[in-house]
Structure formats: C-alpha cells, structure tokens
Amino acid sequence: MQLISPNKVFRGKNAWEKSLPEIVKISKSPLLLGRSLITRSLRSKISNDLSQLNLKVFNSELEFDCCEEDLNRIYNLAIEQKCDSVITAGGGKVLDAGKLLAEYLSVPCITVPLSASTCAGWTALGNVYTTDGKFLKDIKLKSCPKILVCDHSFINSAPKKTLSSGIADSLAKWYESSITSSSNKDGIIQQAIQIARVLRDQLFIQAEHAYNHPSEDNLAWTNIVEANSLTAGLIGGIGGEKCRTAAAHAIHNAITQIYTNKRPLHGEIVGVGILIQLRLEESKNNNKLANQSINQLVKFMKKLNLPITISELGINVFENDNLQKIASFACRKESEIHFLPFEFSEEDIIQVISQFESQKITI
Ligand SMILES: [Zn+2]
C-alpha cells in the first residue's frame, strides 16, 4: 500500500477559513501544537477561530525540535485532556511532531504549515531529533495527514529564509530521485521523477522573483510556496522512499550531529548536501555533468542567500574530528546514502567533503 496524499487539501487565500467546516466534522477537542514565539499570534488566531465554533482547544508548545522528550510530555497531556485530533501549526519539525503525536494518540492530524520550508505538511513521515537538534531517525507513519491547510496569508508571515530553505529542500527531490531511481522501470516512479524535474525547473525560473517579492499577489511566490509545500510532498507520495532521499539528506542528517550555534534550517543543510552528493557522483560515478550542475546550483543558491559550504553552516570540518564524524554517520548501515547506485567508501566521503570545503567557490 502506498500513502500518496492527505485526504483533503485546502490551498490559497482563506484556506484556513475554508477548512473550518471540515475540521468541525472530525474534531470537538483538538490539541493545537506549535513552537516558536514568531508564530504565537497566528496560533492564537487559530485557537480563537476554533473556540468560536465551540471546539474545546488544548494549546501546547514544543520546547525543542521534534524529540521524544516533548512527544512523551505532550502525549500524556493530550490523553488527560481527551484530545480527539491534533492540529499542528508551524515549520517542518512542528508538523512532524504533530503527525507523530496524532499517530500515537490514534486521532486524525490536521497540518497547517506556517512557512514554506518543507513538505512535512503532506507526508506520512516524521523525523525525530535529540533535544539539541541531532537527527535520530525517521518514522514511517500509517497515514498521511487527514487535512492539509496551505493558507497563503499564514505562510506569507514567515521569515524569508524559510522560503529559500524550502526551495533547497524541494530541489533535492530531483537530484536525489534522478540518481536513485532513474533505472527503475515502474511507470509511476518514472513519472514522479519527471514531476521532480519540472519542479526543479519551476524553482530555477521563479524562485528568485518569489524570494525577492514575497507577496500573496505575486504569482511566482504562490507557485513556489505550493511547489515546496505540496508538489514536493506529492513526489514523495507517488515515488516512494527512494524518490525522497539519497546522499543529500544523508549528509544533512550527518551534519546535524555536529553542534553549530548558527542553527541552520533543514533545507539550508540539504542544499549543501546536494552539492556534496554531486561531487561524489562526479568522482565515483563518472558524472561528467556534475560540475556544470554544481556551478548552476551555486549561482542560484547565492541569489537566495543559501549557504553553499559546511563552513557557511557554522561548522569547520577540519576541527574536532568533524570530517570523520560526518562521514561515518552518513555511511552508517541504515543511511539513505546506500540508495546511491554506485560503490563508494567512508574514505571517499571524507575525501569529497575535504576537497569541497577547501575549494574556493567563486561563482
Ligand atoms: Zn528534506
């Protein structure tokens, strides 16, 4: 069985208002989950709107990233409060935490992305981190969210860097799926890869304009928001696991093992992961176009103020055994890096990353 999409997707202007009658049908006492200070006023609007419809709303905030400590604490509170749904409003980690809680509580989940930073509002997956932000594991859920509310005015209030981070995460869909699944003969997977290519092209064409003019009246902005929040999720839904991740995400997971006070966003790290994956393809899979792709991507990423090296993420790989730590986490047995269809060793990863970090990228 494949988990392809949420049951209902509301999108565009006033998507939140349009979703309310559907939410009322499935819930009387929702848990409303969020995290950051920046989204608090939006979450209180959401809470008030629900209360006005006579729903008994239980508000709860995560203290950390999506971690077991928070999940256990809030799970117990939600049981006490007899919550019958989870409405999760925030960025990717808040959405993941809400989806996991809903699954543990066996209640429907309603995702309300408050930024366009990931496709977590769509997918049947949850990434779990430690309290200090190290990636631990991803958990496959039994279903996609029941309702996804992609409200443009909610998302428009998010900081600009969440959009560029989401763009880098969406780009990864093409660079990861095309290498892991291009020889797959399944027609649906082939089509998912082609959607990833069209998505990448749309990002190349419209992302800069969207980033520089983040307005609900800017078609480029609405297209990119939906590309990140919806289309990227659909590709994973129809393409399956191997269409979602390969080396770029494996390197992301490994980089999160090293503390950096810059606290980069998920997509910002994945973007650097794409560049490193391409270097690996160049050296170990004879990809003659890798250098050209890297140049094109670096130019594009710079326009969006995205980091292009691990050092720009705040980590010096040549200190504290960091290079070794990143390579060994990226190559651990259960890592998605092993979806790559060619041979390489931990030593190759060390070599690629150390060359990558030493080079002067001057585009
Ligand atoms: Zn991602």
Side-chain angles (χ1 to χ4, degrees), residues 117-119 127 168-170 172-173 176 244-245 249 252 266-267 270:
S117 58
T118 69
C119 58
N127 284 351
D169 200 28
S170 298
K173 288 280 181 292
E176 296 192 298
R244 278 195 293 263
T245 50
H249 273 82
H252 159 278
H266 172 84
V270 171

PDB file of all heavy atoms in Angstrom, residues 117-119 127 168-170 172-173 176 244-245 249 252 266-267 270, ligand 1:
ATOM      1  N   SER A 117       8.820  25.976   4.300  1.00  0.00           N
ATOM      2  CA  SER A 117      10.178  25.465   4.459  1.00  0.00           C
ATOM      3  C   SER A 117      10.332  23.974   4.153  1.00  0.00           C
ATOM      4  O   SER A 117      11.448  23.514   3.944  1.00  0.00           O
ATOM      5  CB  SER A 117      10.672  25.746   5.874  1.00  0.00           C
ATOM      6  OG  SER A 117       9.804  25.142   6.795  1.00  0.00           O
ATOM      7  N   THR A 118       9.234  23.214   4.154  1.00  0.00           N
ATOM      8  CA  THR A 118       9.336  21.780   3.826  1.00  0.00           C
ATOM      9  C   THR A 118       7.986  21.272   3.315  1.00  0.00           C
ATOM     10  O   THR A 118       6.996  21.996   3.337  1.00  0.00           O
ATOM     11  CB  THR A 118       9.660  20.872   5.049  1.00  0.00           C
ATOM     12  OG1 THR A 118       8.531  20.868   5.915  1.00  0.00           O
ATOM     13  CG2 THR A 118      10.879  21.290   5.793  1.00  0.00           C
ATOM     14  N   CYS A 119       7.967  19.986   2.919  1.00  0.00           N
ATOM     15  CA  CYS A 119       6.695  19.369   2.521  1.00  0.00           C
ATOM     16  C   CYS A 119       6.154  18.498   3.655  1.00  0.00           C
ATOM     17  O   CYS A 119       5.335  17.614   3.432  1.00  0.00           O
ATOM     18  CB  CYS A 119       6.883  18.549   1.249  1.00  0.00           C
ATOM     19  SG  CYS A 119       8.118  17.245   1.390  1.00  0.00           S
ATOM     20  N   ASN A 127      10.473  12.990  11.239  1.00  0.00           N
ATOM     21  CA  ASN A 127      11.875  12.896  11.647  1.00  0.00           C
ATOM     22  C   ASN A 127      11.989  13.221  13.127  1.00  0.00           C
ATOM     23  O   ASN A 127      11.436  14.212  13.593  1.00  0.00           O
ATOM     24  CB  ASN A 127      12.734  13.920  10.878  1.00  0.00           C
ATOM     25  CG  ASN A 127      12.992  13.487   9.454  1.00  0.00           C
ATOM     26  OD1 ASN A 127      12.679  12.361   9.067  1.00  0.00           O
ATOM     27  ND2 ASN A 127      13.566  14.377   8.673  1.00  0.00           N
ATOM     28  N   ALA A 168      15.579  24.866  -1.392  1.00  0.00           N
ATOM     29  CA  ALA A 168      16.709  23.917  -1.439  1.00  0.00           C
ATOM     30  C   ALA A 168      16.218  22.496  -1.172  1.00  0.00           C
ATOM     31  O   ALA A 168      16.647  21.537  -1.831  1.00  0.00           O
ATOM     32  CB  ALA A 168      17.777  24.327  -0.425  1.00  0.00           C
ATOM     33  N   ASP A 169      15.288  22.345  -0.223  1.00  0.00           N
ATOM     34  CA  ASP A 169      14.757  21.008   0.096  1.00  0.00           C
ATOM     35  C   ASP A 169      13.984  20.439  -1.101  1.00  0.00           C
ATOM     36  O   ASP A 169      14.096  19.247  -1.417  1.00  0.00           O
ATOM     37  CB  ASP A 169      13.853  21.106   1.337  1.00  0.00           C
ATOM     38  CG  ASP A 169      13.648  19.760   2.016  1.00  0.00           C
ATOM     39  OD1 ASP A 169      14.539  18.894   1.920  1.00  0.00           O
ATOM     40  OD2 ASP A 169      12.590  19.578   2.646  1.00  0.00           O
ATOM     41  N   SER A 170      13.235  21.294  -1.796  1.00  0.00           N
ATOM     42  CA  SER A 170      12.486  20.829  -2.980  1.00  0.00           C
ATOM     43  C   SER A 170      13.421  20.460  -4.125  1.00  0.00           C
ATOM     44  O   SER A 170      13.159  19.507  -4.866  1.00  0.00           O
ATOM     45  CB  SER A 170      11.534  21.915  -3.485  1.00  0.00           C
ATOM     46  OG  SER A 170      10.595  22.230  -2.505  1.00  0.00           O
ATOM     47  N   ALA A 172      16.208  19.145  -3.909  1.00  0.00           N
ATOM     48  CA  ALA A 172      16.793  17.828  -3.618  1.00  0.00           C
ATOM     49  C   ALA A 172      15.961  16.700  -4.213  1.00  0.00           C
ATOM     50  O   ALA A 172      16.501  15.638  -4.556  1.00  0.00           O
ATOM     51  CB  ALA A 172      16.931  17.637  -2.112  1.00  0.00           C
ATOM     52  N   LYS A 173      14.654  16.929  -4.370  1.00  0.00           N
ATOM     53  CA  LYS A 173      13.784  15.867  -4.920  1.00  0.00           C
ATOM     54  C   LYS A 173      14.326  15.401  -6.277  1.00  0.00           C
ATOM     55  O   LYS A 173      14.376  14.210  -6.562  1.00  0.00           O
ATOM     56  CB  LYS A 173      12.347  16.374  -5.089  1.00  0.00           C
ATOM     57  CG  LYS A 173      11.613  16.549  -3.789  1.00  0.00           C
ATOM     58  CD  LYS A 173      11.089  15.214  -3.285  1.00  0.00           C
ATOM     59  CE  LYS A 173      10.326  15.305  -1.997  1.00  0.00           C
ATOM     60  NZ  LYS A 173      11.068  15.646  -0.808  1.00  0.00           N
ATOM     61  N   GLU A 176      18.082  13.867  -5.892  1.00  0.00           N
ATOM     62  CA  GLU A 176      18.116  12.573  -5.209  1.00  0.00           C
ATOM     63  C   GLU A 176      17.349  11.504  -5.995  1.00  0.00           C
ATOM     64  O   GLU A 176      17.847  10.408  -6.204  1.00  0.00           O
ATOM     65  CB  GLU A 176      17.591  12.711  -3.778  1.00  0.00           C
ATOM     66  CG  GLU A 176      18.492  13.614  -2.934  1.00  0.00           C
ATOM     67  CD  GLU A 176      18.197  13.561  -1.441  1.00  0.00           C
ATOM     68  OE1 GLU A 176      17.092  13.927  -1.045  1.00  0.00           O
ATOM     69  OE2 GLU A 176      19.088  13.146  -0.680  1.00  0.00           O
ATOM     70  N   ARG A 244      12.543  10.054  -2.351  1.00  0.00           N
ATOM     71  CA  ARG A 244      12.593  11.124  -1.366  1.00  0.00           C
ATOM     72  C   ARG A 244      14.015  11.495  -0.984  1.00  0.00           C
ATOM     73  O   ARG A 244      14.331  12.659  -0.836  1.00  0.00           O
ATOM     74  CB  ARG A 244      11.824  10.702  -0.105  1.00  0.00           C
ATOM     75  CG  ARG A 244      10.334  10.901  -0.206  1.00  0.00           C
ATOM     76  CD  ARG A 244       9.682  10.811   1.151  1.00  0.00           C
ATOM     77  NE  ARG A 244       9.771   9.480   1.714  1.00  0.00           N
ATOM     78  CZ  ARG A 244       8.793   8.582   1.640  1.00  0.00           C
ATOM     79  NH1 ARG A 244       7.666   8.879   1.049  1.00  0.00           N
ATOM     80  NH2 ARG A 244       8.925   7.395   2.176  1.00  0.00           N
ATOM     81  N   THR A 245      14.841  10.500  -0.802  1.00  0.00           N
ATOM     82  CA  THR A 245      16.132  10.797  -0.182  1.00  0.00           C
ATOM     83  C   THR A 245      17.269   9.976  -0.784  1.00  0.00           C
ATOM     84  O   THR A 245      17.069   8.880  -1.285  1.00  0.00           O
ATOM     85  CB  THR A 245      16.083  10.473   1.337  1.00  0.00           C
ATOM     86  OG1 THR A 245      15.569   9.166   1.474  1.00  0.00           O
ATOM     87  CG2 THR A 245      15.239  11.441   2.101  1.00  0.00           C
ATOM     88  N   HIS A 249      20.180  14.135   1.753  1.00  0.00           N
ATOM     89  CA  HIS A 249      19.547  14.038   3.075  1.00  0.00           C
ATOM     90  C   HIS A 249      20.408  13.265   4.071  1.00  0.00           C
ATOM     91  O   HIS A 249      20.406  13.572   5.259  1.00  0.00           O
ATOM     92  CB  HIS A 249      18.142  13.432   2.970  1.00  0.00           C
ATOM     93  CG  HIS A 249      17.087  14.468   2.702  1.00  0.00           C
ATOM     94  ND1 HIS A 249      16.833  14.952   1.439  1.00  0.00           N
ATOM     95  CD2 HIS A 249      16.265  15.160   3.537  1.00  0.00           C
ATOM     96  CE1 HIS A 249      15.885  15.873   1.509  1.00  0.00           C
ATOM     97  NE2 HIS A 249      15.523  16.019   2.770  1.00  0.00           N
ATOM     98  N   HIS A 252      22.773  15.730   5.268  1.00  0.00           N
ATOM     99  CA  HIS A 252      22.047  16.598   6.219  1.00  0.00           C
ATOM    100  C   HIS A 252      22.011  15.945   7.603  1.00  0.00           C
ATOM    101  O   HIS A 252      22.362  16.556   8.617  1.00  0.00           O
ATOM    102  CB  HIS A 252      20.610  16.847   5.731  1.00  0.00           C
ATOM    103  CG  HIS A 252      19.671  17.279   6.828  1.00  0.00           C
ATOM    104  ND1 HIS A 252      19.063  16.376   7.680  1.00  0.00           N
ATOM    105  CD2 HIS A 252      19.275  18.498   7.263  1.00  0.00           C
ATOM    106  CE1 HIS A 252      18.335  17.025   8.579  1.00  0.00           C
ATOM    107  NE2 HIS A 252      18.441  18.318   8.330  1.00  0.00           N
ATOM    108  N   HIS A 266      16.545  23.009   8.051  1.00  0.00           N
ATOM    109  CA  HIS A 266      16.670  21.724   7.365  1.00  0.00           C
ATOM    110  C   HIS A 266      17.133  21.892   5.907  1.00  0.00           C
ATOM    111  O   HIS A 266      18.143  21.315   5.492  1.00  0.00           O
ATOM    112  CB  HIS A 266      15.304  21.017   7.424  1.00  0.00           C
ATOM    113  CG  HIS A 266      15.192  19.780   6.605  1.00  0.00           C
ATOM    114  ND1 HIS A 266      15.610  18.554   7.050  1.00  0.00           N
ATOM    115  CD2 HIS A 266      14.711  19.578   5.350  1.00  0.00           C
ATOM    116  CE1 HIS A 266      15.389  17.642   6.107  1.00  0.00           C
ATOM    117  NE2 HIS A 266      14.840  18.240   5.065  1.00  0.00           N
ATOM    118  N   GLY A 267      16.398  22.701   5.137  1.00  0.00           N
ATOM    119  CA  GLY A 267      16.706  22.844   3.710  1.00  0.00           C
ATOM    120  C   GLY A 267      18.056  23.510   3.460  1.00  0.00           C
ATOM    121  O   GLY A 267      18.702  23.238   2.445  1.00  0.00           O
ATOM    122  N   VAL A 270      20.344  20.677   3.630  1.00  0.00           N
ATOM    123  CA  VAL A 270      20.123  19.771   2.490  1.00  0.00           C
ATOM    124  C   VAL A 270      20.744  20.362   1.215  1.00  0.00           C
ATOM    125  O   VAL A 270      21.335  19.636   0.403  1.00  0.00           O
ATOM    126  CB  VAL A 270      18.611  19.498   2.285  1.00  0.00           C
ATOM    127  CG1 VAL A 270      18.352  18.750   0.979  1.00  0.00           C
ATOM    128  CG2 VAL A 270      18.042  18.709   3.460  1.00  0.00           C
TER     129      VAL A 270
HETATM  130 ZN    ZN B   1      14.007  17.340   3.347  1.00  0.00          ZN
END
